[in-house]
Amino acid sequence: MSYKTILVHADGSPQAAQRIRLAAQLALAHDAHLVGAAMTGLSRHALPDGSIAPLGAPFPFDQRLLHSRADAALTQFADCASRMGLHSFEARLVDDAVDDGLILQSPYADLLVLGQGDPQGLPDELLNRLPRDVLFQSARALLIVPHNGQFDQVGQQVLVGWDGSVAAIRALSAALPALRRAARVTLVPSPSPDGHGRQADLPGAELARNLARHGIHVTLARLDGGRHAGAALLELASDVNADLLVMGGYGHWRLREWMLGGATRGVLHDMTLPVLMAH
């Protein structure tokens, strides 16, 4: 099992170059096809006044600026993919809102690569809530790259956060191709029960045996019980020199927006390394 199609968000931002480079590294390692997707940002249905256009109706204003911006982002993507030596990649322009465009394409990729929102920005800005919105509606796991920092590689030293929940299982399953190639995998069980009230496998022994059957040998570690779970995971990731954190993402729909679980919210806001996350 390996990744065969990876989709990366190309938006022309200063952070996009590193995001594309990490996605290209994964594509090279797994002999995968890399798709760079740039959305124009204009919903395929919405008019400027917020109303809904009849299907097939033309938009009543010039869209050339939006297309020009997306084209520039795709040129950046193609240049980076070519420099990395990728033989199978495509630049894809999508006339849609950024979140909807990524969500609609997610079933046709094995992994999505997005950037973290700006931790200093307004939480309600579209790009700052993008990882959260896509996470909870995507058909696939996300690899989220921090807004700040330099990351030369991903997946050599991996930390896996585990609490036995469905989200953690999905994240772990999505990470298996990367875990098989890792030089070291550290597993950290959480003392929290999963979403169905079952206590997680605290020692992690059964999961370690399962991963060993996949050819993945793990080192067990413990979280600092006195710290917030998100902060403790990020601190442990630093202690073990991890370049990738794998974990479940938690949240529920309330009052027309996603309310994040504490660890998910903390990691999405304060991440210091790439995070592979699934809901």
Side-chain angles (χ1 to χ4, degrees), residues 9-11 37-45 59 61-71 73-74 92-102 105 126:
H9 178 210
D11 63 355
M39 277 56 65
T40 60
L42 178 67
S43 170
R44 61 198 183 284
H45 300 310
F59 289 107
F61 61 92
D62 192 342
Q63 299 177 61
R64 285 177 296 181
L65 177 60
L66 298 177
H67 283 104
S68 176
R69 189 178 302 158
D71 285 338
L74 292 177
R92 183 180 295 169
L93 187 146
V94 180
D95 257 326
D96 208 342
V98 178
D99 49 355
D100 287 343
L102 291 169
Q105 294 177 84
L126 176 60

Side-chain angles (χ1 to χ4, degrees), residues 12 29 69 88 94 121 161 184 219 225 228 262 276:
R69 189 178 302 158
S88 182
V94 180
R184 185 178 67 178
T219 300
H228 185 281
L276 193 154

Side-chain angles (χ1 to χ4, degrees), residues 86-272:
L86 277 176
H87 299 295
S88 182
F89 66 90
E90 65 178 288
R92 183 180 295 169
L93 187 146
V94 180
D95 257 326
D96 208 342
V98 178
D99 49 355
D100 287 343
L102 291 169
I103 292 164
L104 287 173
Q105 294 177 84
S106 66
Y108 314 110
D110 300 312
L111 184 68
L112 275 63
V113 184
L114 279 67
Q116 178 199 20
D118 183 354
Q120 305 304 318
L122 296 175
D124 288 335
E125 289 179 352
L126 176 60
L127 289 180
N128 289 336
R129 68 173 192 265
L130 183 65
R132 177 199 69 185
D133 292 349
V134 175
L135 172 68
F136 293 117
Q137 299 178 73
S138 170
R140 302 292 187 179
L142 309 185
L143 175 62
I144 306 169
V145 181
H147 187 270
N148 300 312
Q150 185 67 34
F151 309 97
D152 297 325
Q153 64 181 15
V154 61
Q156 288 299 302
Q157 309 284 338
V158 184
L159 176 66
V160 178
W162 175 255
D163 64 358
S165 66
V166 171
I169 294 167
R170 288 174 176 166
L172 184 64
S173 296
L176 283 177
L179 297 181
R180 288 195 184 98
R181 293 174 174 270
R184 185 178 67 178
V185 177
T186 303
L187 174 65
V188 53
S190 165
S192 300
D194 70 17
H196 298 285
R198 299 187 301 263
Q199 192 69 18
D201 177 24
L202 299 185
E206 190 61 35
L207 178 60
R209 285 190 287 270
N210 174 270
L211 292 175
R213 296 183 192 109
H214 287 275
I216 303 163
H217 299 281
V218 304
T219 300
L220 292 174
R222 288 188 175 275
L223 281 182
D224 179 356
R227 300 288 305 279
H228 185 281
L233 275 172
L234 293 175
E235 182 176 328
L236 181 58
S238 176
D239 291 343
V240 301
N241 296 315
D243 57 26
L244 176 65
L245 170 62
V246 176
M247 63 179 289
Y250 309 96
H252 62 277
W253 185 253
R254 179 182 176 188
L255 300 177
R256 299 175 63 185
E257 68 171 319
W258 284 101
M259 307 297 291
L260 300 179
T264 304
R265 181 174 59 251
V267 169
L268 284 178
H269 187 270
D270 298 325
M271 64 173 58
T272 53

